[in-house]
Each structure stands twice: as C-alpha cells, then as structure tokens.
Amino acid sequence: MVIVGPVKFGSTCWRCNLSLRAVIMFRVSTLRLILILRHQSSENMATRWGICGAGKISHDFTVALKTLPPADHEVVAVAARDLQRAQEFAQRHGIPRAYDSYEKLAKDAEIADVIYLGLIHPHHLKVGLIFLRSKKNVLCEKPLAMNSREVQQIIAAAKENDVFLMEAVWTRFFPASIKISNLLAQEAIGEVKLVDVSFGAPLQHIPRAVEKELGGGALLDIGVYCLQFVCMVFNGEKPESINATGVCLNTGVDEAMAVVLKFSRNRMAVCTCSISVQLSNEATIFGTKGTIKIPEHQWCPTTLVVNGEKTQYPLPEPSMPLNFLNSTGMRYEAEEVRQCLLKGLKQSPRMTLADSALLTEIMDEARSQVGVVYIQDGV
C-alpha cells in the first residue's frame, strides 16, 4: 500500500520545495496507477453467475449468457428445490456446482458477483431476501414481487446490505429499445402524445398463467411488458390518472385487462393484455412529428419502424433450443448487470429501483380497479 503523508510547504530552501512537490506527484501518480490496475483486473475477470431455479426461463437465460464472451460471463452454480433437477440442469449447461436449496447457493463463497433469480413471482420476496441478506447481488425476474409492499421490502433489503438489485425487464436493454430512448431524447417525432401497446396470447393451458397461488393473470404475467414500455417512453413519470377495466377467470385472476394512463400535458397511453386471445403485440408511439412502431413482439423487439423506415436488430443464434421467443436477447440485461457491477453501481440507471416501484404501483392500482386480489395483498 502506498501512503501519502502530510507535506508542509514554506521551506526557505526552494530546492526542498521542488523535491517535495516531486515526491507528491510521484505518490499521486502511483495511487492512480494502482486504481487503474485494480479496475483493469476486475474488467479482466468474468462475472460469476449463480442460477436460482432450474426451470424454463433459467434455461433460456443460461443459453443467452453463452452468446456473450466466456471471459466476461461464467455460470458457476445452480440451485433448485430438487437436487436431481439441479444436477440435470448443471450437466446440461456445464455448470460445476449444483445445490438442492437456495440457502446453500446463498452461502457459496465462490459466488462473489450475482444471482439470477428465475422463480415465479410469488417466491421472489422470500427467496430474494435470502440472497440479499447474504450480501449477494441479484437480478430478479419480472415482476419484482407481487405488490408494492413486497417490492419495498426487497428494495430496502438491497439498500441495507449495500448490494446491487435489478428487476429483469429484459425488453429495456434490447438495441431497439435503446434506439427508441435515443430517438425520444432527440425529439425525432416531436412531442409524444399517445402510446398504444398490446400483448395477448392464448395461455390458459399453462397453470402459472391462470392459478392465483402461482401469481397468474394477464397483467402480472404479460401486461407488465406493456406498462414498462409506457414508463420507459415517459421516462419514469408518474401518471396523473389510471383507469383500468377487465374480466376475470373463475380462478380469480384477470383474463384480460385494458389500462388507460393519463400523463401531464394531456399525454396518454393505452395498454391491452390478454391470456385468452392473440393480440397484435405491437407498440406504437405517436408524436406531433411522426411515429415509432415495434410491429411485432414488442416485449423482445428486433424490428423498429420510424416514420415508415424499417430497421432490423437481429439476435445471435442460440447454442441450444429455447423455451421462449427471442430469449438470446436476455444477453443484453446480463451485460448491463456486468457493466453496473464493474462501475460499483447498486442499481441500473436504465431500470432503476424507482422504475420498479412505479411499475408495481401502477399494477396495484389497475388490479384494485378490476378486483384481482392475491393472498400476498393481505386483504
């Protein structure tokens, strides 16, 4: 360690003063060099991932990581409630360690970087707290939790333990989404006046989409993508009013929902989601001087149409079959996590903890108006 001690000037010997200045400059330069070398050393090390959950989304995320340089990203452990599932997952993906409990993964001292939490959202609070309180950085699948109370508990735990936390809203980190934000910042289509976005697909055959205890319902499962898009466009501004209507299944979760949000300066957004029918799944931003449109798959965009001009943003091919559309696009959120950790950040500037809190508040209000209540709401 180099220590710069106090140096007093004012000597009558000018040669002494010059000598002291030279010593100070040398020591400062040495300190700078040490800091640079430390930074370069961390950049040269792979971000070590622990995977929590051995399900379909965790598989796709792990495949997405393989599209990034192995010198930058490495999966070192996986945990599931069933050891056999964890071991099979580890063998399939070449992961050195497998655990039969999330607590064991949290206690693994070799996981120094970040945990990917790929469980369904009713488990996010309980399991998320296990990792955060073990001083682990966490990338947690969306939605971050079941309601605002749970989200605030997770955020508080991250802050108390001084660790990184990000909701895995992967859409925000796609190149097409980055382009949208840049175009809006440049006022390429003038002032945004209306946003129209939808997401619908026949999903009622999937238990987690329809069962209340599994966090089912159109809004929390897929409608969250529509609302996050609106929040991204309006740069995290809180809407002045939220009006929601919808229909529910006999399980008590929403089959379909429409949410209208009004923002300042008479700007609006319309979000439509359904787990019973196929919708256009488009997103359009209407401005006073033009439009920006994602013509399909707005939650994982690879095509952008700006004032009629189309641009493609192709994704890398996966090394293994995927469960969900365009899942190699999860590489972008993973790289965002790496860059944040290298910079010592505790949250992503593109998907902040305040963004997650606002997104959940909007969903809480929409659910309340439609009458969707989960056991976690304590009502």
Side-chain angles (χ1 to χ4, degrees), residues 8-21:
K8 296 181 179 180
F9 291 93
S11 170
T12 56
C13 177
W14 61 271
R15 290 188 180 90
C16 293
N17 281 340
L18 287 176
S19 178
L20 287 171
R21 289 190 180 95

Side-chain angles (χ1 to χ4, degrees), residues 71-298:
D72 291 346
H73 296 269
E74 177 186 13
V75 180
V76 297
V78 59
R81 288 176 295 180
D82 178 74
L83 182 59
Q84 183 177 347
R85 288 195 69 197
Q87 290 174 333
E88 290 173 353
F89 189 98
Q91 184 176 10
R92 188 181 312 124
H93 293 284
I95 301 171
R97 291 192 292 284
Y99 297 114
D100 61 356
S101 79
Y102 309 133
E103 289 83 1
K104 290 179 181 178
L105 178 60
K107 293 176 182 178
D108 189 334
E110 295 299 316
I111 309 295
D113 298 314
V114 61
I115 300 293
Y116 170 74
L117 204 167
L119 307 177
I120 58 174
H121 35 285
H123 300 307
H124 287 180
L125 174 63
K126 180 180 178 180
V127 179
L129 291 180
I130 291 173
F131 292 114
L132 294 170
R133 289 169 177 170
S134 297
K135 308 293 184 181
K136 304 297 187 187
N137 301 304
V138 173
L139 171 64
C140 180
E141 261 307 328
K142 61 80 199 165
L144 187 56
M146 294 296 293
N147 54 41
S148 291
R149 183 173 64 250
E150 290 194 350
V151 164
Q152 289 303 325
Q153 286 181 259
I154 293 176
I155 290 175
K159 292 180 178 179
E160 288 169 7
N161 291 280
D162 194 32
V163 291
F164 175 88
L165 172 66
M166 188 178 94
E167 183 177 9
V169 181
W170 63 317
T171 313
R172 255 184 215 209
F173 305 96
F174 274 66
S177 297
I178 301 295
K179 181 64 175 178
I180 289 173
S181 295
N182 291 338
L183 289 169
L184 294 177
Q186 298 163 8
E187 299 184 348
I189 59 169
E191 182 184 11
V192 173
K193 298 297 292 183
L194 177 66
V195 179
D196 185 15
V197 56
S198 70
F199 193 169
L203 302 174
Q204 291 192 39
H205 61 287
I206 303 174
R208 66 169 179 79
V210 298
E211 298 297 333
K212 181 177 284 190
E213 62 268 23
L214 299 180
L219 185 66
L220 292 193
D221 191 22
I222 57 179
V224 60
Y225 286 114
C226 302
L227 291 173
Q228 83 78 25
F229 184 83
V230 170
C231 290
M232 180 190 76
V233 170
F234 289 111
N235 202 29
E237 179 181 332
K238 188 174 183 177
E240 292 181 344
S241 65
I242 302 167
N243 290 285
T245 186
V247 293
C248 294
L249 299 171
N250 56 15
T251 59
V253 305
D254 50 309
E255 173 188 345
M257 193 179 297
V259 184
V260 179
L261 303 104
K262 182 181 177 183
F263 293 85
S264 62
R265 305 197 305 278
N266 295 323
R267 298 168 298 156
M268 293 181 61
V270 180
C271 300
T272 311
C273 59
S274 171
I275 55 173
S276 61
V277 296
Q278 185 72 37
L279 298 180
S280 67
N281 298 338
E282 299 177 342
T284 307
I285 306 169
F286 299 91
T288 54
K289 296 180 181 179
T291 61
I292 299 173
K293 183 175 184 178
I294 300 175
E296 58 184 2
H297 316 313
Q298 52 83 10

